[in-house]
Amino acid sequence: MTKGLRVDTKHLPLTATLALFVIMFLFGSLRYTGFFSTQVFLNLFIDNAFLIIVAVGMTFVILSGGIDLSVGSVIALTSMVAASLTMNAELPPVMVVPISLLVGTVLGFCMGCLIHYFHLQPFIVTLAGMFLARGLCYLISVESITITDEFFNFMASTRIPVGNGNFISISVIIAMFVVAAAIFIAHFTKFGRNVYALGGSEQSALLMGLPVGRTKIMIYTISGFCSSLAGLIFTFYMLSGYGLHANGLELDTIAAVVIGGTLLTGGAGYVAGSVVGVLILGIIQTVIVFEGTLSSWWTKIAIGVLLLLFIVLQRIIVARSSTSQVSAAAN
Amino acid sequence: MKKHEEPPGRQQDTALPGGSSNKKMLGGNALQNQAPILVMDGITKEFPGVKALTDVHLKLYPGEVHALMGENGAGKSTLIKVLTGVYTFDKGSVMLEGRPVRAATPLEAQNLGISTVYQEVNLCTNLSVVENIFIGREIMKRGRLDWKEMTRQAKELLKTRLNLDIDVTKLLSSYSVAIQQMIAIARSLQVSAKVLILDEPTSSLDQNEVNQLFNVIRKLKQDGLAIVFVSHFLDQIYEITDRLTVLRNGKWIGEYMTADIERLELVSKMIGKDLNELAHTEKKSGKSFENNNLLLQGEKVCKKGKIAPFDLNIHEGEIVGLAGLLGSGRTELARLLFGADKADSGEIKINGKKTSLASPRQAISRGIAFCSENRKTEGIIADLTIRENIILAMQGTQGWFKHIPKKRQIEIADEYIKLLNINPPNPEQLIKNLSGGNQQKVLLARWLVTNPKLLILDEPTRGIDIGAKAEIQKLMLSLSEKGMSILFISSEIEEVLRTCHKIAVLRDHEKVSEIENARHITQKDIMEAMAGGHTEQKNNKEAIAGGVAR
C-alpha cells in the first residue's frame, strides 16, 4: 500500500465530513435563492454555538472510548440554575456565571470518579447523571423561568459586526475560543495525548505508566464543564431556564461527533471534525427552513441516514486498515 | 538418559557443545567478574490458596541475555510481574545495583530502569511511533509538546540503538508486529532501561523478523543491558541467551550456562521427568496411503488475495502437514476446507463426490472438524466447564433442542478426560482455570466427540508445554491409525516431520511443494522449500521430486 493512500485512510472520515458539508452548502445555494450568503453561513455558528461547545467536550469523552449521556440534562440544569439565581435569588451575573459553570463541572467530576474508582460503565453512570440532572431541574421549578436581566439581554442581543453588514454573536466568540483551546489541549499537551492513548488501549496505557485514572476523571470533568458553558450560552440564546430545554440533545451531540469522524470506539478523531459535524446538523436544519414546506422532523430523518452512513464508513475504514496490517505483517 | 531423537537441521544445533557431562551450576565465568545488576533473592508470592512462587532466585549481570525457563504455570509470568511492579512479593528481596528496591507499580519499575516488552505489544496502535515512544515522558517546550524535538530524538534512538530507519510520524498500526515490538523496546530504552524483559517476544514473528530482533538484542547486550528472555522456542534460547534460570511449579530449579546444558537435560529439568515418552513419537517412515480411500480431493481451489490455486489430496487415515512461515497462507487454506471462507474457484470432492463447502455447518455435516489456532478467542468458552465445552460441538451436530442427558454428558467428558489425560480430571472444572495445554486438549475433545473424518488442527501445540505437546502428537498418530485423516498446521518443522505422512509446503500464499515424508527428508529440506530463494528454487523442486519418487 502506498504512503499517500494510508495518510488518506487516516484522514478519510474528516475529509468525508468536510466534503459533505461543502456539497450540502452548494446544494442549498443552487436550490434556494439567498442561501449562498455569508450571513447564512455565520448563522450556523450563531444558532449552534452551544452545540459546538458540548460537542467539543463530548469529543474528548468519545476519543477516550467513553460516552457522556448527561450533557443535555446538564444544559437544562445549568439554564435552570442560572435563571433561578438571577430572577429568584437576584444574584448579580458575576456570581451567577461561575456558580452555573460549577454545576456541570462538579457533576462531571463525580461521574468521572465513579467510572474510574468503581470500574463502572460510562454509559450507565452518565445515564444516571442524565436522569439526576433532569430531575433536579424540576426540583427548582416545574415552570419555565424567563430571564429579564440586563446582562443576559446584552449577551443575547449584542451583534458583533464582521464587515459587509454581517455579524456574529458573543456566543460564537466563546465557542471559537473553546474550540481553539480544545485543539491545543488535544494535540499539544500531555493530557491530550493520554486521552488518545486511553482510547487506543486502556490496558496499554496502564502498562505504559500513564495516569489513566486522573485522565479519565479529567475527561468527564471537562465534558461537564463544556455542558455547563453550553448551558449558559443556551440560556443567553433562549433567555429562559426550563426543565425541558435541550431534551435529547446528548444524542444530537454524539451524532455530530461521530459524523465529524471520531471513532465511537475511541482513539481516533479530531476536535475540528466535531465542529464540522455540528455545522452539518445545522445546515440540514437550514435547508429545511429554506424549503419551507417540510416538517422539521425531516432533520431527524436526515441525521439518522447520515449517522448510518458514517458508521458504515468507519467500519469499512477499520476493516481496511486491519487487512492492510495483516498484509504488512505477512510481507 | 535416553537421547531423544531430533532430526538434524537448524544451524544452531550444531553450535551446541555436545555431551551432558560438562553441565554445572554457574561457576567461574567472565560475567562473574562484574557485579550483578539485579539480584532477586528468596522471592515468595502467595495468592489466595496458591503459592505461585516459593523461594525463587534470579541474578542478572549487565550485558547478558538470561532465559527464564519453565513450563506453563512454572511461575515465569508471576516472577516477571513481581519484578515489574504489577504484583508485590510477600517474602524475599530485590536488589538493583546493590540497593534494595520495591516497585509498587509498572511506572515505578520503569523509573527504576526495569522495563517489559510483552508478547502482545502493549502500545497504542492509534498513535504515531513518536507518541508511543514518548507518551508519559513527553518533551515540553514553552508549555506545549515539542513534537519536532521528540521526532528527532525518536528517529535517532531507533537508528542508533536498533538500526531501524522508519518514518516515525506514521501510525504504529501501519507497521508489522515485529517493528512494533522494536518500538516497544525503543520505548524502554528511552527511559534508559538497565533491565529489559522480553516476554515471549518471538511467538508471533516469522524467521526473518526473529533474526532482526536477535540482532537488536545482541546490540543491546553490547551496550551493557541485562535482558531477560522468555520463550517457548528452544532453538531461540540456545541461539541468543547466555545463561538461564529454570523454574518448575513456582520453585527455583537451577541456574545454568546455556552452552553447558544440553537440550534434553534442560527439558527434563523443566518438566521434572525423563523424556522417554517423547522418544516414542518417532519419525514416521514413508507409509503410503495411495491405496487408501481418497477422502478429500481439492482441485485448483483458490481464494483471491488469500491463497493461490492449489491441489490437495487427503487419504483416509493420512496425516497431512502444512508447513510454512507465519502468514504463508496455512490458516487460509484450512479455512477454505472448513467452509469458514468460500473458495472463488476450483472444486472440492469428498469421497469422490463434488461438494460445496459454503459454511462451517456444511463442513461439519460432511465430517470435517476445525480446531482453531486462537484457542482464547475462537475456541474455548472460558466460563463454561470442561464438560460443557466438550459437549458443545456434539450438541451442534445433534440439533440444539435434542437434550443430551447430563449423565451421558458426564460419561462422554470422563471418557475424553481419560483418553487425553486432561488435568484436572474433573468434568465440572471451569475451563478458564486450566493450563493452555489442557485447554487445547478440551478443544480437541470437543471435535473428537463428533467423530470427524477429517480433523483440521491449526497450531494445536503452540504455546503449550512440552509434555502436553508430546501427548497431542501421540494422540494424532493413534487417531490416524484408527482411520481419521488429519490436516496438521504447525510452525515447528520438527514436529511436522515427526507426525505427518505427507507435507504440503506453503510460501507467500501459494502451495509450493508436496513432500512424502520419508526417512531421508530432513528439516533442512522442508526449510528450503519454505524459504524458497531465487537460484535454489529449481534444485529444490528436484530434491522434492526425488523425495516424492522415493
Side-chain angles (χ1 to χ4, degrees):
Chain A
M1 202 176 272
T2 61
K3 197 175 164 186
L5 202 64
R6 197 168 272 140
V7 173
D8 264 355
T9 329
K10 183 177 159 188
H11 294 291
L12 195 60
L14 190 58
T15 322
T17 311
L18 258 177
L20 183 71
F21 178 74
V22 172
I23 290 168
M24 289 175 83
F25 200 79
L26 285 178
F27 166 80
S29 309
L30 290 175
R31 197 172 152 95
Y32 313 108
T33 44
F35 193 98
F36 187 76
S37 80
T38 317
Q39 193 56 50
V40 168
F41 180 73
L42 291 178
N43 280 346
L44 289 178
F45 286 88
I46 296 172
D47 294 339
N48 294 298
F50 71 100
L51 193 54
I52 288 177
I53 295 173
V54 204
V56 163
M58 184 70 85
T59 309
F60 282 101
V61 176
I62 292 183
L63 273 178
S64 77
I67 196 101
D68 188 349
L69 297 178
S70 71
V71 294
S73 304
V74 171
I75 288 177
L77 182 60
T78 310
S79 80
M80 250 348 216
V81 168
S84 79
L85 286 181
T86 312
M87 302 313 292
N88 302 345
E90 292 182 4
L91 288 180
V94 207
M95 296 188 60
V96 173
V97 170
I99 294 174
S100 311
L101 287 180
L102 268 179
V103 171
T105 316
V106 170
L107 185 71
F109 176 79
C110 294
M111 292 191 300
C113 287
L114 283 170
I115 290 164
H116 171 61
Y117 289 111
F118 295 97
H119 299 283
L120 296 172
Q121 293 291 328
F123 187 95
I124 293 299
V125 173
T126 57
L127 185 68
M130 171 180 120
F131 286 126
L132 181 73
R134 190 68 73 180
L136 286 176
C137 293
Y138 294 98
L139 209 61
I140 297 171
S141 164
V142 286
E143 302 285 320
S144 158
I145 304 174
T146 312
I147 301 173
T148 51
D149 181 80
E150 228 170 74
F151 169 75
F152 280 81
N153 269 327
F154 170 79
M155 294 301 276
S157 54
T158 304
R159 294 181 168 195
I160 301 166
V162 287
N164 277 344
N166 299 314
F167 62 90
I168 53 173
S169 63
I170 295 175
S171 57
V172 175
I173 307 274
I174 299 174
M176 287 304 107
F177 180 77
V178 169
V179 169
I183 290 176
F184 180 82
I185 289 173
H187 297 280
F188 296 101
T189 65
K190 293 184 181 192
F191 167 76
R193 298 332 284 166
N194 290 346
V195 172
Y196 277 83
L198 198 57
S201 159
E202 186 171 341
Q203 179 68 16
S204 296
L206 258 179
L207 284 170
M208 286 198 283
L210 302 182
V212 169
R214 211 192 321 148
T215 308
K216 254 193 194 171
I217 294 172
M218 189 74 177
I219 287 166
Y220 288 93
T221 312
I222 287 182
S223 177
F225 171 79
C226 285
S227 309
S228 267
L229 185 59
L232 263 182
I233 286 176
F234 193 72
T235 317
F236 297 153
Y237 188 73
M238 304 294 282
L239 281 179
S240 71
Y242 187 30
L244 272 178
H245 274 341
N247 211 353
L249 190 95
E250 54 280 343
L251 303 179
D252 289 335
T253 314
I254 295 168
V257 173
V258 172
I259 291 175
T262 301
L263 282 183
L264 254 186
T265 46
Y270 299 94
V271 171
S274 301
V275 175
V276 184
V278 171
L279 295 184
I280 285 180
L281 296 195
I283 210 161
I284 295 172
Q285 262 158 348
T286 313
V287 166
I288 284 161
V289 167
F290 269 83
E291 185 67 40
T293 54
L294 282 176
S295 127
S296 70
W297 288 104
W298 276 97
T299 320
K300 300 280 174 201
I301 295 172
I303 294 176
V305 170
L306 278 184
L307 204 54
L308 268 179
L309 272 175
F310 271 81
I311 301 250
V312 170
L313 179 71
Q314 288 183 357
R315 194 65 240 165
I316 292 169
I317 289 166
V318 169
R320 236 223 260 158
S321 67
S322 67
T323 49
S324 79
Q325 160 95 64
V326 168
S327 64
N331 288 335
Chain B
M1 190 178 289
K2 204 166 163 187
K3 192 155 166 63
H4 108 241
E5 203 176 37
E6 190 161 323
R10 299 198 181 177
Q11 305 88 311
Q12 303 94 282
D13 292 12
T14 52
L16 282 180
S20 58
S21 55
N22 59 348
K23 57 105 200 206
K24 59 195 166 202
M25 303 298 262
L26 185 65
N29 162 28
L31 290 170
Q32 288 294 70
N33 302 334
Q34 284 177 292
I37 188 161
L38 180 94
V39 182
M40 296 179 87
D41 210 9
I43 301 290
T44 300
K45 170 74 190 170
E46 221 167 317
F47 293 110
V50 197
K51 214 162 185 187
L53 293 174
T54 316
D55 196 19
V56 170
H57 312 276
L58 180 68
K59 209 185 266 180
L60 292 177
Y61 293 91
E64 77 160 330
V65 181
H66 193 109
L68 201 52
M69 303 294 294
E71 290 196 296
N72 295 325
K76 290 173 299 185
S77 314
T78 314
L79 188 66
I80 288 175
K81 284 182 174 158
V82 163
L83 182 56
T84 53
V86 179
Y87 297 152
T88 53
F89 49 89
D90 302 331
K91 262 186 249 163
S93 69
V94 179
M95 309 274 279
L96 186 69
E97 295 179 309
R99 281 178 300 119
V101 293
R102 199 181 179 108
T105 64
L107 184 62
E108 273 182 49
Q110 278 173 32
N111 291 337
L112 288 168
I114 304 170
S115 290
T116 319
V117 174
Y118 295 92
Q119 176 180 0
E120 312 85 22
V121 181
N122 274 296
L123 296 177
C124 293
T125 48
N126 62 322
L127 301 182
S128 73
V129 175
V130 192
E131 288 176 84
N132 270 296
I133 292 177
F134 279 98
I135 196 160
R137 307 180 281 274
E138 295 91 339
I139 300 171
M140 305 294 282
K141 195 168 141 192
R142 277 185 250 120
R144 50 186 284 181
L145 300 177
D146 190 351
W147 286 120
K148 223 169 132 190
E149 177 64 14
M150 284 192 272
T151 308
R152 194 189 63 75
Q153 285 194 18
K155 216 168 164 53
E156 192 185 291
L157 180 73
L158 285 172
K159 205 163 177 182
T160 56
R161 301 291 300 270
L162 305 177
N163 288 331
L164 202 62
D165 198 2
I166 55 171
D167 181 358
V168 294
T169 57
K170 274 167 78 173
L171 290 187
L172 188 71
S173 58
S174 56
Y175 293 105
S176 69
V177 179
I179 303 281
Q180 291 185 16
Q181 220 149 32
M182 308 253 183
I183 292 163
I185 294 175
R187 179 180 164 81
S188 315
L189 296 178
Q190 204 273 329
V191 245
S192 61
K194 296 166 193 141
V195 176
L196 180 63
I197 300 158
L198 302 174
D199 189 2
E200 292 272 4
T202 54
S203 59
S204 46
L205 305 189
D206 66 30
Q207 194 56 46
N208 268 335
E209 294 170 331
V210 168
N211 291 340
Q212 204 182 348
L213 177 70
F214 280 7
N215 285 335
V216 168
I217 292 179
R218 290 194 188 98
K219 193 161 184 326
L220 296 176
K221 197 172 119 172
Q222 278 172 10
D223 297 346
L225 218 67
I227 296 168
V228 178
F229 185 81
V230 180
S231 172
H232 273 290
F233 299 100
L234 282 183
D235 287 344
Q236 296 177 356
I237 298 292
Y238 279 100
E239 186 181 345
I240 195 75
T241 68
D242 302 304
R243 293 189 314 137
L244 49 89
T245 293
V246 180
L247 301 181
R248 186 170 74 232
N249 294 332
K251 294 196 184 69
W252 184 83
I253 300 301
E255 188 185 70
Y256 311 91
M257 297 296 295
T258 309
D260 291 348
I261 183 165
E262 212 204 338
R263 266 164 195 254
L264 199 57
E265 197 190 346
L266 172 60
V267 170
S268 70
K269 293 253 186 267
M270 280 161 61
I271 66 176
K273 60 179 173 190
D274 275 353
L275 275 184
N276 292 344
E277 288 164 51
L278 250 188
H280 285 302
T281 49
E282 280 189 4
K283 187 178 151 184
K284 279 273 131 189
S285 60
K287 185 173 162 191
S288 176
F289 285 84
E290 292 299 321
N291 302 328
N292 276 23
N293 184 17
L294 190 58
L295 177 73
L296 182 138
Q297 192 180 9
E299 256 176 62
K300 302 239 172 329
V301 186
C302 146
K303 180 160 176 72
K304 230 175 154 189
K306 300 277 185 193
I307 185 126
F310 67 91
D311 295 344
L312 186 70
N313 292 340
I314 302 175
H315 296 88
E316 219 163 74
E318 191 174 32
I319 304 182
V320 179
L322 276 189
L325 296 172
L326 212 88
S328 59
R330 302 172 309 188
T331 303
E332 288 81 350
L333 191 154
R335 284 174 66 89
L336 283 184
L337 297 187
F338 188 57
D341 289 322
K342 206 173 169 324
D344 296 334
S345 63
E347 60 177 42
I348 297 173
K349 286 183 189 163
I350 291 176
N351 285 325
K353 267 212 311 252
K354 198 181 154 195
T355 10
S356 80
L357 295 171
S359 71
R361 258 185 90 79
Q362 277 187 12
I364 292 171
S365 71
R366 291 186 176 55
I368 301 176
F370 182 87
C371 212
S372 132
E373 145 180 57
N374 299 320
R375 61 174 170 269
K376 283 268 153 56
T377 53
E378 289 177 33
I380 66 164
I381 298 173
D383 285 312
L384 294 186
T385 63
I386 297 181
R387 170 180 57 83
E388 287 164 318
N389 267 289
I390 291 180
I391 297 297
L392 262 181
M394 185 181 179
Q395 186 85 66
T397 54
Q398 298 230 330
W400 288 103
F401 299 108
K402 203 186 264 175
H403 178 63
I404 303 170
K406 187 156 180 199
K407 206 175 140 214
R408 174 86 189 105
Q409 291 188 18
I410 294 175
E411 265 173 39
I412 294 172
D414 275 335
E415 185 189 330
Y416 282 93
I417 285 173
K418 211 179 283 163
L419 178 73
L420 302 179
N421 206 359
I422 294 171
N423 190 29
N426 171 12
E428 299 309 315
Q429 181 66 251
L430 292 186
I431 197 165
K432 64 180 172 192
N433 298 335
L434 270 57
S435 72
N438 281 304
Q439 290 180 355
Q440 192 65 50
K441 289 187 206 162
V442 172
L443 269 190
L444 248 172
R446 180 193 291 172
W447 290 112
L448 292 180
V449 181
T450 64
N451 203 10
K453 293 191 197 94
L454 171 64
L455 178 62
I456 303 173
L457 295 173
D458 194 355
E459 294 273 14
T461 58
R462 184 165 78 174
I464 67 177
D465 59 60
I466 289 181
K469 249 182 211 179
E471 280 176 40
I472 286 182
Q473 291 169 11
K474 247 165 60 184
L475 179 79
M476 283 169 52
L477 291 174
S478 80
L479 287 173
S480 131
E481 265 154 39
K482 285 180 196 143
M484 192 185 291
S485 312
I486 296 173
L487 185 67
F488 177 49
I489 302 178
S490 171
S491 294
E492 291 179 40
I493 305 168
E494 180 213 331
E495 187 176 72
V496 172
L497 271 175
R498 226 185 301 159
T499 47
C500 297
H501 304 115
K502 186 165 81 185
I503 299 160
V505 182
L506 298 179
R507 182 171 72 233
D508 296 339
H509 299 254
E510 191 182 351
K511 183 181 162 198
V512 287
S513 64
E514 192 170 302
I515 304 171
E516 293 285 335
N517 193 3
R519 222 168 243 298
H520 70 272
I521 300 287
T522 64
Q523 288 195 38
K524 200 159 164 258
D525 297 327
I526 309 283
M527 292 256 280
E528 275 172 3
M530 272 164 52
H534 312 288
T535 50
E536 289 158 23
Q537 205 160 345
K538 211 177 102 220
N539 304 339
N540 216 345
K541 278 199 176 131
E542 279 165 16
I544 289 154
V548 172
R550 258 165 303 168

